[in-house]
Amino acid sequence: MKNLATRDHDIIWHPYTQMQTAALPIGIVRGEGSLLYAEDGAVYLDAVSSWWVNIHGHSHPYIAEKVAAQIKELDHVIFAGFTHQPAVELAEKLLLLLPQNQKRIFYSDNGSTAVEVALKMSIQFWENTGTAKRRIIAFRDSYHGDTFGAMSVSSRSAFTQPFVQYLFEVDFLDVPVPGKEELVLAQLEVILKKDDVAAFIFEPLLLGTAGMVMYEPAVLDKLLEMCQQHQVITIADEVMTGFGRTGKNFATEFLKNQPDIMCFSKGLTGGVMALGVTSCTAAIYEAFLSDSPAKTFFHGHSFTANPIACATALASLDLFVAATCQQNIQRISQQHEHFRTQIAHHSVIKECRQLGTVLALEFNAGETSYFNNIRQKLYQFALDNQVILRPLGNIIYVMPPYCTTNEQLAQIYQVISGMLTLIAEN
Ligand SMILES: *Cc1c(COP(=O)(O)O)cnc(C)c1O
């Protein structure tokens, strides 16, 4: 019998993977806490929460128990004309946790669809209210997903290049990183002079895929204030920042101004089931109420509000709000901070950034090609040391599950220190 990797290699096409040059995938047979067990006996420390989703560790017994109970009770039901207990309870609990202006929950099944829903809600809001607004604003380096609407509001990059002529036009703002705030505020002011701006979508405080790029709450508050003064709908994409990543429940908790629409996925189910949520204010929702069917929000997915996914999110929320998890988030933030101060002045480090449980190190990049080379070496170096770290270009980041112990964090930091030496010697 061939192993998983070899059987996979003959028939499967992997995401974000150049299949011709990629190494064989690693077959994982079991997960527990922050650890993943491979079929060849190797054990890996999941320092990236399996693409930023897994917040409570793998195969958590409490979540497993709740999922098993739900699947025996009700597996799935059409969500138009029908409802069920997990969907109702999850909406109730989320609304208690979200900013007070959020009043309605719309379900879908991943981060990209949560963004599509937000964009379509915003566009149709203006259509329904008979206002000719169609322009969308986004950050130039943002990432909002891989479907066409989400790609349109994302950075024009190697990811979107083949599709660029199919993407709708967007007014881009630079990311207001420290030092660039005034410039970006001025850019927005120019765009807002056009009176047909429908919406502004943003990753609050932390742009993940751009390379864990961070900016301050004060400037985002100003951007939101300006949008609100011009009746522009604001959309916070908290797909990655949601559920504790930034040290608070949601990144928007750092702000004075609240967005009109919010998007969630990734940590929502603890990274166990695919589920997306788009929440909105009463004003957005009410613009779709009418005796005329034309104003209906015609959007839905087969697995909208799947009961097992909702029950998983409920179990994850139980764990998330418990004191243990909240303490772990603070503990990891403190450990990161300590390590950051130790290495910040290392000669190969250009910048060291941190927001809550997310730590990012940007290396002094020489030639881009050089870094393409070293990226693969660093990834392999981490794997050889039993840690999963996926560099984003010349940036290494840590985004661990909240159950990751201090000993495990020390192991991750040690591997990163090894990487610094590797780069310095290159
Ligand atoms: C990952 C991500 C998405 C897309 O979510 P998927 O579930 O992968 O479709 C959207 N926005 C942000 C900020 C993300 O990090």
Side-chain angles (χ1 to χ4, degrees):
M1 189 68 169
K2 291 183 193 170
N3 68 7
L4 287 175
T6 321
R7 284 159 62 200
D8 172 301
H9 186 68
D10 291 340
I11 49 171
I12 294 180
W13 191 347
H14 284 264
Y16 283 96
T17 304
Q18 175 43 261
M19 297 301 292
Q20 176 152 320
T21 51
L24 282 181
I26 296 166
I28 296 296
V29 292
R30 194 167 73 81
E32 188 179 346
S34 300
L35 299 177
L36 291 168
Y37 295 80
E39 62 180 331
D40 65 0
V43 184
Y44 295 98
L45 185 44
D46 187 357
V48 296
S49 297
S50 283
W51 248 345
W52 318 349
V53 299
N54 188 283
I55 59 175
H56 302 301
H58 293 279
S59 301
H60 195 291
Y62 179 76
I63 296 179
E65 188 188 306
K66 294 287 183 181
V67 170
Q70 182 58 46
I71 208 165
K72 286 178 201 159
E73 200 68 30
L74 175 68
D75 52 357
H76 188 58
V77 61
I78 173 174
F79 206 60
F82 294 84
T83 193
H84 51 82
Q85 197 267 341
V88 175
E89 194 182 330
L90 179 58
E92 287 169 349
K93 288 197 168 156
L94 281 175
L95 288 176
L96 286 178
L97 216 57
L98 292 179
Q100 277 192 344
N101 70 342
Q102 300 297 299
K103 298 294 186 204
R104 289 278 161 178
I105 296 293
F106 191 97
Y107 288 111
S108 62
D109 42 29
N110 62 68
S112 302
T113 57
V115 167
E116 295 289 335
V117 166
L119 293 171
K120 287 174 74 174
M121 267 182 191
S122 311
I123 293 166
Q124 195 181 340
F125 173 89
W126 295 115
E127 174 78 18
N128 283 2
T129 52
T131 319
K133 288 196 179 209
R134 50 158 296 279
R135 202 177 285 278
I136 311 277
I137 306 176
F139 285 134
R140 200 180 303 286
D141 300 326
S142 59
Y143 176 80
H144 294 290
D146 286 348
T147 50
F148 273 87
M151 276 198 294
S152 294
V153 294
S154 295
S155 122
R156 300 290 181 269
S157 68
F159 294 177
T160 52
Q161 201 283 325
F163 316 106
V164 76
Q165 70 200 50
Y166 298 90
L167 305 181
F168 61 73
E169 207 180 299
V170 167
D171 287 48
F172 285 111
L173 293 176
D174 286 333
V175 182
V177 291
K180 254 190 156 180
E181 288 99 338
E182 292 306 320
L183 172 80
V184 178
L185 289 169
Q187 288 174 344
L188 181 62
E189 204 171 304
V190 171
I191 297 171
L192 288 176
K193 289 212 172 87
K194 307 162 187 168
D195 54 11
D196 61 344
V197 181
F200 167 43
I201 183 165
F202 57 92
E203 294 169 81
L205 308 187
L206 172 55
L207 283 80
T209 305
M212 304 300 153
V213 172
M214 299 173 192
Y215 63 98
E216 292 296 315
V219 66
L220 182 55
D221 255 326
K222 280 198 192 134
L223 295 171
L224 292 183
E225 196 180 306
M226 287 164 72
C227 285
Q228 281 156 7
Q229 280 166 358
H230 287 79
Q231 279 81 52
V232 170
I233 295 171
T234 53
I235 306 168
D237 177 354
E238 291 238 24
V239 167
M240 190 272 258
T241 49
F243 304 97
R245 273 298 165 208
T246 63
K248 293 194 189 258
N249 293 347
F250 305 105
T252 37
E253 287 181 16
F254 287 92
L255 304 174
K256 293 190 198 77
N257 296 308
Q258 294 307 333
D260 301 300
I261 299 180
M262 301 177 75
C263 307
F264 306 97
S265 186
K266 295 202 164 106
L268 172 63
T269 62
V272 175
M273 290 284 294
L275 183 66
V277 157
T278 309
S279 66
C280 71
T281 60
I284 302 275
Y285 172 72
E286 281 159 13
F288 291 75
L289 301 179
S290 168
D291 294 329
S292 146
K295 291 193 176 178
T296 307
F297 191 48
F298 290 111
H299 188 104
H301 298 278
S302 314
F303 289 103
T304 295
N306 172 262
I308 303 163
C310 290
T312 312
L314 280 167
S316 175
L317 265 189
D318 284 347
L319 297 174
F320 176 67
V321 298
T324 311
C325 180
Q326 294 296 316
Q327 284 158 9
N328 279 337
I329 290 170
Q330 301 315 317
R331 174 181 57 79
I332 291 173
S333 303
Q334 284 158 13
Q335 295 290 314
H336 278 355
E337 207 171 314
H338 185 64
F339 177 61
R340 181 161 59 94
T341 53
Q342 282 180 356
I343 54 156
H345 299 294
H346 194 287
S347 62
V348 304
I349 290 182
K350 183 174 166 205
E351 192 177 66
C352 216
R353 301 185 283 269
Q354 188 201 347
L355 186 58
T357 67
V358 181
L359 176 68
L361 315 184
E362 184 168 346
F363 301 125
N364 287 312
E367 302 284 300
T368 323
S369 55
Y370 161 82
F371 249 91
N372 283 346
N373 247 330
I374 195 97
R375 187 208 167 272
Q376 191 51 36
K377 268 193 201 161
L378 294 178
Y379 178 63
Q380 192 56 48
F381 177 83
L383 285 180
D384 291 345
N385 286 280
Q386 287 84 48
V387 175
I388 304 174
L389 286 167
R390 269 179 74 95
L392 286 162
N394 61 327
I395 292 144
I396 269 281
Y397 66 91
V398 188
M399 200 189 296
Y402 304 147
C403 62
T404 306
T405 64
N406 284 355
E407 290 69 32
Q408 290 171 330
L409 287 171
Q411 187 188 341
I412 296 169
Y413 300 150
Q414 197 178 1
V415 168
I416 290 177
S417 298
M419 286 175 163
L420 298 182
T421 309
L422 199 73
I423 296 171
E425 284 168 357
N426 241 269

